Amino acid sequence: MARTKVIEIEPLTRVEGHGKVSIHLDDNNNVKDARLHIVEFRGFERFIKGRPFWEVPVIVQRLCGICPVSHQLAAAKAMDIIVGAKKLTPTAEKMRRLMNYGQIFQSHVLHFFHLCSPDLLFGFDADPKVRNIFGIIKKMPDLAVQGVMMRKYGQEIIKATSGKKIHGTGAVPGGINKNLSIKERDGFLKDIAKMKEWSLGALALARNYTLEHMEMIQDFAAFNSNHLSLVREDGALDLYHGNLRAIDAEGNAIFNQVDYRNYNDYIMEEVRSWSYNKFPFIKSRGQNDGWYRVGPLSRMNTVDFIDVPESRKAHEEFKALTNGKPNNMSLAYHWARMIEVVYCIEKIEQLLHDPDLQGDDLLVKGDRAEEGIGLVEAPRGTLFHHYRVNEQDQVTYCNLIVSSTNNNEAMNRAVTKVAHDHISGNPTITEGMLNHVEVAVRAYDPCLSCATHALGQMPLTGELYDAEGTLLERKSRTI
Amino acid sequence: MKKRIATVSLAGCFGCHMSLLDIDERILDLLKVAEFDRTPLKDLKKFTKRCDIGLIEGGCCNEENVHTLQEFRNNCDVLVAVGACAIMGGLPVMRNAIMNSEDPLRECLEEAYMNSPSVYNATNDIPNDPALPLILDKVYNCSEVVKIDYQVPGCPPSGDTLWETLTALIKGVPADLPYGLIKYD
Ligand code: SF4
């Protein structure tokens, strides 16, 4: 058997969570395979069984400290159904929406400024010692401070709606446990103009970067795929509630305005014997062609329009670039993400002027149900939560499909393409080349913490080397 | 001399790292007195020098976590377990406590890969491959694996708590944490 050399990029850095990439090479450094691995397993679906259902929104967010609010809200929406809350009070629904905008705002800002901007501003091949947020702080302190203060603003919104910046308790089955005080509201209004200005600045940065590097971006980790997201009933972008829409790479509808409580009729997750990773796909297209992308890029592709002015304009410009067809370039995620940053801050401003946030009617209840399904758009894409609860209030069943699992196949394709294009056949493999691979993964902003609730990694065969080519020892295990 | 700090997330949710970023603009002050070695925020995959302070998020749920934790112990003068997961195992440790179960890990794997109705599993195998880092029979907290010098409770400890702890460690004085900053949730 021909010998294979395996390069591991481990741990993946400047992404959230734990992961690694392995690249299999032949003797001439031709890439035979490249894969993204997520290296932990939690078992949440099993050990949540038997816990009281009202605990779930609080517990489940401990899967992920970057998008805790998204898990809290998806679980709370499922538990709304369990407690028979058919329609939340305006105060509860708007507080939850505000929380969600704060979450997506802070997560997108963190991703763009703290994690990715060093690649975009310094270059993929820049010295790894400075290619990080500390380097940005040193070289471009004003920009870095904007990122830090924008993230802080989003975190403060989360604290005001959820009780804590990370792992709060705000959303409860049937509603919310606090409203927004006048004092809190005025604190946010004081800084809103500056936040809007900085958000538009970040959008311009991402947009200009994309347009200036179009030649590279058109090709770098670019490939056709289906796209999936929630959309509002009128086709507008909605990150908190709506129906499912899936389109193909040309923009044709695969399904549209589907009630997400029927997700089991449309989506399946393939288990491959050689991987802990599940690979979701659209049933009607089968497991080979049915895989899809989610997240900011997909949302910009699936929605018909945005209902607030600045981000509406930005979305129209984004769509015009590909003549109204879906944009299939991985690196266009950054631009799409910054459109959503502007969208969130516009929505936050709208909500802050809404007196419903100071209402006292926080909770509703109705007839108990046994099964609840909740979906939200998390920063990284569509997030599915599904539970069953018995008469003693105990959870008896749980299924989660997290955003980064939805992007699993796409991230693997991105890694493979970049490895082929940038590493294959080169006599020496540099740190910069390997960073290209990480740049492709980072575009998806994968949340590997989330994904670890039930993910693992794929097989490696042959001798194992680290990035410097040193042979590593590795014990193997029989099945 | 600036103090060197290294950070890592083992079986944690990254919330403790996010909380460290919640020191917000104080990061600028921190960088005047300290610099970061290995941390997920930088692209250094290994230690470049011996560090004064190592911050550990998360406990150990697989063999790689154990190796990384030992590496941190070997390369850091002071090792701090940050947050509920590092100190007690946190959410992941719930899998140790599945009642009436002979083999909790196996039950977790079966639930994820075989029992779910949305799963399409042609061979009905649970993934198991030499490449997978061995999952430990149970989840261990950091003190069960190496000597830990300090513990900062919370899930996560707040940005303020981490700020007070770090600045005290850098100055080499005992951390003066007011009651309000010591929280266990
Ligand atoms: S202690 Fe809490 S915040 Fe920290 S890693 Fe564990 S679950 Fe996440």
Side-chain angles (χ1 to χ4, degrees), chain A residues 62 167, chain B residues 12-16 57 83-85 154-156:
Chain A
R62 261 93 183 170
H167 303 332
Chain B
C13 77
F14 253 72
C16 288
E57 167 194 305
C85 293
C155 182

Side-chain angles (χ1 to χ4, degrees), chain A residues 10 36 51 111 147 158 167 205 207 226 233 274 280 341 348 360 370 446:
Chain A
E10 189 197 14
L36 168 70
R51 306 299 306 182
H111 179 259
I158 293 174
H167 303 332
L205 196 65
R207 169 196 173 275
N226 307 312
E233 262 162 23
W274 40 268
V341 161
I348 289 171
D360 292 323
E370 287 173 356

Side-chain angles (χ1 to χ4, degrees), chain A residues 233-253:
Chain A
E233 262 162 23
D234 60 358
L237 177 65
D238 196 324
L239 301 171
Y240 176 72
H241 196 64
N243 296 315
L244 284 170
R245 175 184 284 177
I247 58 170
D248 67 18
E250 288 296 312
N252 307 309

